[in-house]
Amino acid sequence: MKAMKGSRRFLDYPRRGRQGPRRWLPSWRQWLGLLALGILGLAGLFAVVYAKIDVPDENELAGREATVYYWADGSEMVSVGAVNRQNVTLDKVPDSVENSVIAAENATFYSDSGVSFKGIGRAVVSLVSGGETQGGSTITQQYVKNTYLSQDQTVTRKVREFIIALKVSNQKSKRDILRGYLNTSWFGRDSYGIEAAAHAYYGIDASELNPSQSALLAAVLKGSEQFDPGLSKANHARAEARWKWILDRQVATGKMSAGERAKYRTFPEPRKLSKPTSQAGQTGYLIDVANKFIKAGTGLTDKDLARGGYHIRTTFDKKRTHRLERAVTKVRREHIDPKHRKADAFVQFGAASVRPRDGAIVAVYGGADATKHFSNNADTSAVPAGSAFKPFVLAAALQKEGFATDETDETDETEAPGAASEEGQEPDAERLRAALIMAESPPFVRAGKSVGLERIRDLAVDVGLRKESMAQLEQTFPLGTSAPSAIRMASAYTTFVNGGLHTAPYAVSGMTHEGKHVSGLGRPEPEQVLDSGVAQEVSLTLEGLGRRSLLPTGPASELQTVAAGRTEPGDRMKSAWFIGSPVAIPSFGPGPGSEKGKWGGIRPGQMPGGKDGNEPTTAVTMFRNKAGTPELLPMQGVGGAKSELGTSLPPKVWQAYQQGS
């Protein structure tokens, strides 16, 4: 029996009575039905997800596992213990803290639904498109993020944050949410929560905070790495600007009168940074160096690391680190006497050892005690390099002129070094070699003009110095006005003893979080940044300089072969340096790519950095720095009249370190 003409179908699709493509175009009723089904489906999915996701335990943070740092041999260096957090009730928190935090983070806190649809949408779009994560979360959302503690930035995480925030907003009062937020927020200085922060920044209970101090702590909530005023001058400027804005914002929102605001015109300087006693001695400096490499490689922040649960294998050699510390202590004890010599006051030492074959940082001396002297002297970028920078000028000259090739004029290697300083007697680079040994500066100023300051700077960066540590390209640039760290100086000098190969320094060889591997910490690959012949010629020149530097300290028969750079009294700089490295002895005869009378290469069976490439290059620096004084103090008289403005002391540290005393 045929169907009656005009009978209705449950779903008129393809559409009857239409021809061609129009048959396949849904009607407005069908579009509306699809939209309704989609909305119902999403609502159902949301209901299922909403039911499955529970509100996390607010106290989960306090029970996190400690983070453990290990020496290179696998033994434990230090365990950074439980999270520094103490819960407080709102009645123990001044109204000024509440007003400051709400003004800074979420002015509509008491009237909003607990979530920011605009902020969530912007964050999801950014994550899907591969952009950076976006802010704009409400206090409720931030509280949820603090308690949930997810490390990843994914759409799933943002959806869970959104749903939990809705649940929290429905289940908890605004006062409870604010209390939870204040107790779980990261304020920097290893402190979670307002109580720990009040002690870390001002040494008082949260109940004692005044409106000015409250505004500063609210400012730090935006990110302690950028707003803790104790970390840097730039941080201080940002913190002060935000502190002012938060106080003004409270006036604008009616939480503070103009008269009350007028009382707070002086920035509430927090107490100096400090470290826990478990990080005394060199431990705090070692952790500081390791954390910098972790943050650079993985993108983790201090806040992430403070959450705990990490196991970090460092490259630091326990025995070498202790030897380096003993060497500095010995030289300081024997030659620095601030009680009887005013010039010996405020003397600081810094040192670092880097392994040539792979760039591993094996030892660091950052200061006398990380709990008392917070700044890491091994990683500072405020100490000018002086003559220790000159080898880079020599390398740039050799690299430009091709003195390691057959284009070089032959010279008499037996000629006295002093003869090289006569104009016109030898090629420019030969005069530079002699000038480096004889501590002459004018040839290096002339080299800056002929070689080019940009070329010198670029070579210094290529071999391992940071570009941001380079000084202005002025006439004195070749004389060492740049201020690289001891770590970077040691790393750069490995290039000379490593045949022109450079491997970026690293301090962490492996890392896990709650048993899972953390990526982003792969060992750096070596790169040929100098011609091997150029590297050898510089290394040989430095070897001669090293012997000259160390001869006054002991019989020549006791000296190890050394490549070295040092500052000279004639530098008139406010620092003293010595960079030394036991190296293989190049042969005198012709070798691959060499000429008669030129250095022929590494002897068979020998490697840069000693027999197996494990002997490190070590940079030692000394300077005078008084806390609160922006400029380094002069070196005149340091160590007594025979110390040559202190420049004889870093070589003594290096030799004591090598001898294991």
Side-chain angles (χ1 to χ4, degrees):
M1 184 175 179
K2 295 182 179 181
M4 295 180 60
K5 185 177 181 180
S7 62
R8 290 180 174 273
R9 291 183 292 174
F10 176 75
L11 180 63
D12 184 20
Y13 193 83
R15 295 173 66 191
R16 189 166 55 184
R18 300 290 190 275
Q19 301 297 322
R22 294 182 62 195
R23 296 183 63 215
W24 303 95
L25 292 176
S27 67
W28 67 268
R29 290 187 180 87
Q30 289 169 336
W31 279 118
L32 189 61
L34 287 172
L35 179 61
L37 285 173
I39 292 174
L40 287 173
L42 288 174
L45 177 63
F46 180 83
V48 172
V49 174
Y50 187 91
K52 286 188 173 183
I53 295 178
D54 295 324
V55 176
D57 181 6
E58 176 182 305
N59 293 307
E60 179 185 353
L61 176 62
R64 300 292 289 192
E65 181 186 354
T67 286
V68 184
Y69 293 81
Y70 298 91
W71 294 101
D73 63 6
S75 60
E76 183 175 317
M77 178 196 303
V78 65
S79 175
V80 179
V83 172
N84 179 20
R85 170 184 165 195
Q86 302 93 38
N87 289 341
V88 292
T89 56
L90 277 187
D91 64 312
K92 299 292 177 59
V93 178
D95 290 344
S96 63
V97 171
E98 176 181 341
N99 294 337
S100 294
V101 168
I102 291 176
E105 297 293 316
N106 185 188
T108 61
F109 170 69
Y110 278 110
S111 60
D112 63 33
S113 62
V115 295
S116 169
F117 290 93
K118 183 178 179 180
I120 287 288
R122 185 170 62 247
V124 170
V125 169
S126 179
L127 286 167
V128 170
S129 63
E132 295 183 357
T133 57
Q134 300 291 315
S137 298
T138 65
I139 282 177
T140 306
Q141 287 173 259
Q142 292 181 58
Y143 163 57
V144 167
K145 188 159 50 178
N146 291 343
T147 57
Y148 181 51
L149 293 177
S150 173
Q151 301 289 331
D152 53 343
Q153 296 288 343
T154 63
V155 173
T156 301
R157 209 300 306 278
K158 296 301 291 185
V159 169
R160 296 194 70 177
E161 175 189 312
F162 179 81
I163 291 176
I164 294 173
L166 285 177
K167 280 193 169 186
V168 167
S169 188
N170 289 330
Q171 296 174 10
K172 293 177 178 285
S173 69
K174 289 289 187 179
R175 299 288 291 172
D176 282 342
I177 293 171
L178 182 62
R179 175 195 53 77
Y181 174 69
L182 290 175
N183 281 325
T184 59
S185 289
W186 168 252
F187 288 84
R189 302 199 178 191
D190 294 324
S191 58
Y192 274 97
I194 189 64
E195 182 70 11
H199 281 278
Y201 283 84
Y202 294 108
I204 59 177
D205 292 339
S207 60
E208 300 176 55
L209 291 167
N210 63 39
S212 183
Q213 295 167 334
S214 299
L216 186 277
L217 293 182
V220 172
L221 281 172
K222 191 172 178 66
S224 63
E225 291 176 331
Q226 296 293 314
F227 290 88
D228 183 340
L231 292 177
S232 67
K233 292 181 180 178
N235 272 32
H236 195 285
R238 282 189 290 266
E240 188 167 357
R242 187 160 177 81
W243 165 77
K244 290 178 180 177
W245 177 82
I246 290 172
L247 289 172
D248 292 340
R249 177 71 172 161
Q250 291 180 68
V251 175
T253 57
K255 295 298 182 180
M256 180 183 288
S257 67
E260 177 76 2
R261 169 67 181 89
K263 297 178 182 178
Y264 309 112
R265 298 296 180 187
T266 302
F267 185 71
E269 296 288 352
R271 66 197 308 187
K272 293 181 179 179
L273 291 159
S274 63
K275 286 183 177 293
T277 55
S278 62
Q279 296 183 32
Q282 298 307 301
T283 303
Y285 304 124
L286 297 171
I287 291 176
D288 174 63
V289 172
N291 285 351
K292 284 185 178 179
F293 281 91
I294 290 169
K295 290 185 285 186
T298 66
L300 293 172
T301 65
D302 285 333
K303 177 181 178 180
D304 298 324
L305 293 171
R307 286 168 171 158
Y310 293 95
H311 288 251
I312 300 163
R313 182 78 166 261
T314 73
T315 61
F316 305 128
D317 184 296
K318 184 193 305 184
K319 292 182 179 178
R320 287 191 181 277
T321 298
H322 294 335
R323 269 171 49 194
L324 184 57
E325 183 176 22
R326 288 197 301 270
V328 175
T329 302
K330 177 179 183 290
V331 172
R332 178 183 285 277
R333 183 179 62 247
E334 293 177 354
H335 299 279
I336 303 299
D337 186 7
K339 292 183 178 179
H340 297 91
R341 276 193 302 268
K342 186 177 180 181
D344 285 0
F346 311 113
V347 168
Q348 295 289 336
F349 285 88
S353 292
V354 176
R355 195 163 57 207
R357 67 176 171 85
D358 64 353
I361 304 172
V362 297
V364 162
Y365 179 86
D369 188 331
T371 63
K372 300 175 182 177
H373 177 74
F374 184 79
S375 178
N376 191 339
N377 294 343
D379 202 26
T380 182
S381 57
V383 184
S387 290
F389 187 83
K390 290 178 180 178
F392 306 126
V393 183
L394 173 60
L398 289 167
Q399 191 92 328
K400 177 185 178 184
E401 300 296 340
F403 283 96
T405 71
D406 57 7
E407 299 175 6
T408 304
D409 294 333
E410 293 186 10
T411 58
D412 183 2
E413 293 292 344
T414 63
E415 185 175 3
S421 63
E422 297 177 19
E423 292 291 339
Q425 293 296 310
E426 292 180 316
D428 287 345
E430 294 300 319
R431 288 200 297 274
L432 282 179
R433 290 178 62 175
L436 183 59
I437 294 176
M438 300 304 294
E440 297 174 352
S441 292
F444 287 90
V445 176
R446 291 195 294 271
K449 296 177 181 178
S450 60
V451 176
L453 300 181
E454 293 86 356
R455 186 188 295 267
I456 295 170
R457 177 199 61 197
D458 293 345
L459 181 140
V461 172
D462 287 344
V463 300
L465 303 189
R466 292 189 181 278
K467 191 171 184 178
E468 54 267 30
S469 71
M470 295 292 98
Q472 294 294 319
L473 298 182
E474 300 172 339
Q475 182 177 343
T476 55
F477 178 78
L479 302 183
T481 52
S482 298
S485 68
I487 290 174
R488 285 290 169 168
M489 284 292 275
S491 174
Y493 269 66
T494 65
T495 310
F496 301 136
V497 300
N498 213 24
L501 277 174
H502 178 258
T503 305
Y506 72 103
V508 176
S509 59
M511 179 175 177
T512 61
H513 181 251
E514 297 181 344
K516 297 180 181 178
H517 172 73
V518 176
S519 61
L521 293 170
R523 183 175 296 183
E525 293 294 326
E527 183 180 357
Q528 190 78 38
V529 297
L530 278 182
D531 293 342
S532 59
V534 168
Q536 278 191 30
E537 290 214 37
V538 175
S539 186
L540 287 164
T541 304
L542 292 173
E543 182 186 341
L545 175 60
R547 290 184 181 277
R548 173 176 173 267
S549 299
L550 291 172
L551 275 172
T553 67
S557 61
E558 295 180 3
L559 296 178
Q560 302 186 47
T561 304
V562 61
R566 64 169 291 181
T567 44
E568 297 289 343
D571 284 340
R572 288 185 291 182
M573 303 293 284
K574 296 179 180 179
S575 62
W577 285 83
F578 184 85
I579 300 93
S581 176
V583 296
I585 306 173
S587 62
F588 285 91
S594 70
E595 294 182 66
K596 179 181 178 183
K598 295 297 176 184
W599 302 108
I602 302 299
R603 286 177 176 173
Q606 293 182 314
M607 295 179 62
K611 294 181 179 180
D612 57 4
N614 285 325
E615 286 298 316
T617 296
T618 302
V620 182
T621 184
M622 186 179 79
F623 55 95
R624 295 180 68 219
N625 180 36
K626 182 179 180 180
T629 303
E631 300 290 334
L632 297 182
L633 300 176
M635 297 285 284
Q636 284 86 349
V638 172
K642 296 182 179 180
S643 76
E644 299 177 327
L645 302 186
T647 57
S648 68
L649 301 186
K652 293 180 187 295
V653 171
W654 185 85
Q655 191 173 39
Y657 175 45
Q658 292 303 113
Q659 295 173 344
S661 57

